[in-house]
Amino acid sequence: MASISNVEVNGLASSIFRSGYPMRSTAPTNEEFTAEVAKIRDSIATGDNSNPHIKRVCTLAQAPGGGHDQFLTGITVNFDLTLSNKAWVEAERYTFLNFISSMSTMHRIAKMDIKNCCNAYTSTIEIENVERLREQYNNIDGEKHPEEKRIAYLDLLYNLPSGFELTAGMTTNYRCLKNIYAQRRNHRLPDWHVVCDWIETLPLAAELITGKTE
């Protein structure tokens, strides 16, 4: 099933501090920046949202319209994402959800364990058909029958079911995740439920992304 792993969140404290730039009349010194960002990190670690910078972003993140949540673009998230073919097509619509690198059916489909790569909603008939096509491809001598081998590979690729899953290394930011969460929290695909459940676990997700604060 869909899953997320190997998560790295970067720029959280520094972006929170920079959210206050529109109301500054002078640029911060290196010393001020370092000291204030350190205080923000400590507040995040202890769950203390009384820090004035955190209080500010809690308001900005949930302000309607006007781009007040622009600072969220500086909070970047790198992670490994496993989705079905059906969900990947939808995920690729998000401009700021970018691929770092991904598993490739073009390179490795003939070596993959088809059954274990398919989610629970994929029918046994589809899985058996793809396994048959993979075996058929692997049994063709490419040197003696190059055209037959080429066609067999295309037959294998084009018959992968929607429930076939691949893992990719992704990079995005909190603003994009906020958009994904708003659009996909109640989506019909279970893949998106997994993604949204994970988003809720990110640091300050309730305050900056989901708006689900007590």
Side-chain angles (χ1 to χ4, degrees):
M1 297 298 291
S3 63
I4 297 96
S5 60
N6 304 321
V7 180
E8 298 173 316
V9 178
N10 301 295
L12 179 57
S14 58
S15 293
I16 288 174
F17 177 73
R18 289 178 171 126
S19 72
Y21 281 11
M23 300 305 293
R24 294 186 65 101
S25 55
T26 60
T29 63
N30 288 340
E31 291 76 11
E32 179 189 5
F33 181 88
T34 300
E36 291 301 313
V37 169
K39 292 177 184 177
I40 294 169
R41 287 199 184 101
D42 289 342
S43 294
I44 294 171
T46 59
D48 179 12
N49 287 359
S50 65
N51 179 289
H53 298 295
I54 295 178
K55 291 175 69 175
R56 179 181 60 249
V57 294
C58 288
T59 299
L60 292 175
Q62 303 307 324
H68 299 292
D69 61 355
Q70 175 63 26
F71 74 94
L72 294 174
T73 61
I75 307 170
T76 60
V77 188
N78 292 344
F79 56 102
D80 289 343
L81 176 62
T82 300
L83 290 179
S84 65
N85 278 340
K86 178 60 178 174
W88 273 124
V89 172
E90 296 179 353
E92 289 167 2
R93 298 173 184 174
Y94 292 100
T95 304
F96 298 103
L97 178 63
N98 297 312
F99 286 82
I100 297 171
S101 186
S102 69
M103 296 173 65
S104 172
T105 53
M106 288 298 299
H107 291 305
R108 302 299 296 174
I109 187 59
K111 303 294 184 180
M112 291 180 174
D113 185 330
I114 304 301
K115 183 178 181 179
N116 287 336
C117 288
C118 291
N119 65 26
Y121 303 98
T122 310
S123 74
T124 302
I125 293 175
E126 286 185 307
I127 293 172
E128 290 176 348
N129 181 54
V130 176
E131 289 177 337
R132 177 183 60 80
L133 291 171
R134 182 194 57 189
E135 183 177 355
Q136 179 176 300
Y137 167 80
N138 287 330
N139 288 335
I140 297 173
D141 187 329
E143 292 186 2
K144 294 181 178 179
H145 309 285
E147 182 62 12
E148 184 180 350
K149 187 85 168 178
R150 183 187 71 83
I151 293 175
Y153 202 71
L154 294 178
D155 286 340
L156 174 57
L157 285 174
Y158 282 123
N159 281 280
L160 289 176
S162 294
F164 189 84
E165 296 179 332
L166 290 171
T167 300
M170 309 297 292
T171 184
T172 189
N173 59 64
Y174 265 35
R175 197 175 190 194
C176 182
L177 292 176
K178 182 181 177 183
N179 188 31
I180 290 173
Y181 188 86
Q183 294 180 350
R184 306 288 177 175
R185 175 69 278 187
N186 298 311
H187 198 274
R188 296 178 72 175
L189 286 185
D191 301 67
W192 290 115
H193 297 176
V194 173
V195 172
C196 290
D197 288 346
W198 163 71
I199 289 174
E200 291 179 353
T201 70
L202 292 171
L204 294 179
E207 295 83 355
L208 306 182
I209 300 176
T210 70
K212 293 184 176 181
T213 56
E214 295 182 354

